Amino acid sequence: MLLLSGPNIAGNEWKYVKECLDTGWVSSVGSYVTRFENMLAEFSGCKYGVATSSGTTALHISLMLAGVQRDDYVIAPNVTFIASINSIKYTGADPVLIDVDPETWQMDLDLLEEFLENETDEKNGELFYVKDGRTIRCIMPVHVLGNICDMDRLMKIAAAYNLKVIEDATESLGTYYKGKHTGGFGLLGCFSFNGNKIITTGGGGVIVTNDEELAKKAKHLTTQAKSDAFEYIHDEVGYNYRLVNVLAAMGVGQMELLPGFIKRKKEISSFYRDHLTGTGDISFQKIEPDVDCNMWLFTLMTEKQKEVLQILNDNQMQSRPFWVPMNQLRMFANDIYYNKEDKSSYIYQRCLSIPCSTNITNEEMSGVVEKIKSVY
Ligand SMILES: *Cc1c(COP(=O)(O)O)cnc(C)c1O
């Protein structure tokens, strides 16, 4: 089976994990956690990193640190992996789902501005939704597939409306906008290391920030809010959200390989684009010139989505449709979905991701291309 985006364990992972097992430093305290955090902070150009048990828990803590409370709103794109919206719900807040750009597949900033202008107002420095008076606390751009929206514009909009920015940068490790890495634009940024991300710890995440106070609070909240080194004194309701040392050890090994992985993901993307351009109606995600994209998960768009999915999966080439748009899921059906032409649906009906693990060979990719072409 050719995996969609499988792990590539090719460096010092075994050695570092073995060291944890041999020394007994397996749990939530250990030198690899700190090393991993520092590597992520350095790579993303942020001052601090706090490792978490998953990207989802990183998002949950970040929203709490941004002051999101029960009955607040958080603005997010309608096309994303469910973890973004689940993390909003965990805080007791609700999402305002904004439709996405049909070419870049990121949040549509025209629609975002329209929503803010027409549907919100300000009182005592806080933005609220006119229809029910509830506070809109922050905005969560999701860098879908490692691509990123016009961040200069998004940050301007956020500042104009007094909204904090929490980046769901989970898919974008290795992506730069105007030379600046993702994760450091807003108050806090979150990365994920689950099994199909560009590097993996099996499961894991990290929160990056340039704010020392927030970094300290993030570490505190993710470690049961214990406030005394010796006695079991806890000063608030905390969470057991810390990444364990064994997994961080794997992460350090993976981080050493990251530059090579990014290079390979880009080669894979170029290969597919070169070989599939001009085949039927196939088109690709638009990457703006300001964006240096990590090309995490290769995804194409076609009217023949169902047929291509069928032939690839029938031939052990793992391929998947895009996420069901959030407004179409039962739990979020009653949440606000701001759109004009429901581009989310359009994208969902046409997009599919194809095998692009960093260890895929050119021969294997040629095989995928051949099967796809046979559909047209
Ligand atoms: C992977 C991912 C997450 C976090 O997932 P975890 O499995 O909890 O690490 C969050 N948002 C998006 C868009 C993702 O792709």
Side-chain angles (χ1 to χ4, degrees):
M1 171 71 105
L2 210 47
L3 291 181
L4 181 63
S5 181
N8 188 349
I9 313 297
N12 290 317
E13 296 90 337
W14 270 111
K15 183 175 145 207
Y16 298 157
V17 168
K18 184 173 187 303
E19 191 187 311
C20 295
L21 301 187
D22 286 344
T23 58
W25 288 99
V26 294
S27 196
S28 52
V29 182
S31 62
Y32 280 109
V33 183
T34 312
R35 258 173 84 181
F36 188 54
E37 289 174 332
N38 291 340
M39 285 172 107
L40 261 300
E42 191 184 333
F43 193 89
S44 65
C46 290
K47 286 197 188 135
Y48 309 98
V50 178
T52 57
S53 55
S54 72
T56 309
T57 55
L59 287 167
H60 181 199
I61 293 295
S62 296
L63 288 169
M64 291 180 67
L65 291 177
V68 175
Q69 298 163 24
R70 180 161 299 281
D71 293 333
D72 282 354
Y73 283 118
V74 175
I75 298 172
N78 191 43
V79 170
T80 183
F81 177 58
I82 193 165
S84 321
I85 311 305
N86 277 346
S87 68
I88 294 169
K89 292 283 183 177
Y90 296 163
T91 64
D94 289 314
V96 171
L97 302 166
I98 305 282
D99 201 7
V100 301
D101 180 288
E103 295 194 319
T104 63
W105 313 341
Q106 314 295 305
M107 189 188 297
D108 183 328
L109 299 186
D110 290 334
L111 277 180
L112 169 67
E113 275 205 294
E114 228 182 82
F115 169 81
L116 291 169
E117 203 157 307
N118 299 336
E119 312 263 343
T120 71
D121 217 334
E122 203 189 307
K123 199 169 77 187
N124 306 329
E126 276 190 4
L127 194 73
F128 65 91
Y129 184 48
V130 170
K131 281 183 190 139
D132 59 16
R134 288 163 60 185
T135 303
I136 305 173
R137 191 74 59 185
C138 50
I139 177 162
M140 181 194 280
V142 180
H143 308 319
V144 173
L145 301 181
N147 196 2
I148 184 168
C149 68
D150 178 346
M151 279 308 275
D152 281 351
R153 186 172 166 205
L154 182 133
M155 294 308 292
K156 259 193 212 135
I157 297 170
Y161 286 91
N162 206 9
L163 291 167
K164 290 170 179 160
V165 175
I166 303 293
E167 289 175 73
D168 181 338
T170 47
E171 302 178 354
S172 67
L173 190 61
T175 294
Y176 300 80
Y177 171 83
K178 293 189 176 172
K180 182 177 158 75
H181 198 282
T182 63
F185 289 90
L187 201 57
L188 302 132
C190 302
F191 294 98
S192 161
F193 313 112
N194 85 18
N196 70 13
K197 295 299 201 285
I198 196 160
I199 65 160
T200 184
T201 58
V206 75
I207 300 168
V208 294
T209 183
N210 288 306
D211 185 314
E212 188 181 4
E213 263 323 290
L214 286 176
K216 278 189 186 150
K217 281 188 186 160
K219 184 164 178 201
H220 187 61
L221 267 182
T222 52
T223 51
Q224 304 282 31
K226 190 162 182 279
S227 55
D228 189 281
F230 181 67
E231 272 207 78
Y232 289 95
I233 299 168
H234 306 257
D235 56 9
E236 60 187 305
V237 176
Y239 297 82
N240 180 13
Y241 278 0
R242 188 97 172 128
L243 186 71
V244 295
N245 202 46
V246 184
L247 298 183
M250 183 173 166
V252 170
Q254 287 272 286
M255 276 304 284
E256 292 170 352
L257 303 172
L258 179 60
F261 288 170
I262 296 166
K263 182 165 168 278
R264 186 60 187 152
K265 286 282 189 188
K266 289 178 178 176
E267 286 168 4
I268 292 167
S269 169
S270 300
F271 185 99
Y272 279 138
R273 282 178 187 242
D274 287 350
H275 288 78
L276 289 170
T277 298
T279 301
D281 67 335
I282 287 180
S283 63
F284 310 104
Q285 186 182 32
K286 183 177 181 191
I287 314 286
E288 299 288 358
D290 284 337
V291 180
D292 178 4
C293 181
N294 69 356
M295 299 295 169
W296 164 58
L297 188 68
F298 195 80
T299 302
L300 53 89
M301 201 179 214
T302 173
E303 298 272 348
K304 291 188 187 286
Q305 181 210 48
K306 297 264 174 324
E307 294 91 323
V308 175
L309 279 171
Q310 178 90 40
I311 197 162
L312 293 181
N313 286 303
D314 283 352
N315 285 279
Q316 314 307 314
M317 298 165 177
Q318 193 179 45
S319 304
R320 289 286 179 267
F322 221 28
W323 310 297
V324 175
M326 294 298 109
N327 73 299
Q328 294 185 30
L329 296 175
R330 196 171 58 79
M331 313 79 74
F332 310 141
N334 294 323
D335 287 308
I336 301 165
Y337 172 35
Y338 196 77
N339 73 99
K340 281 266 165 63
E341 291 165 328
D342 193 17
K343 297 293 187 199
S344 301
S345 243
Y346 179 90
I347 291 169
Y348 169 57
Q349 284 158 15
R350 288 167 181 78
C351 283
L352 70 142
S353 307
I354 63 176
C356 56
S357 306
T358 47
N359 50 16
I360 196 172
T361 64
N362 286 8
E363 291 67 39
E364 286 167 331
M365 281 194 284
S366 292
V368 173
V369 167
E370 199 179 303
K371 287 288 175 236
I372 293 173
K373 285 193 165 178
S374 73
V375 169
Y376 295 88

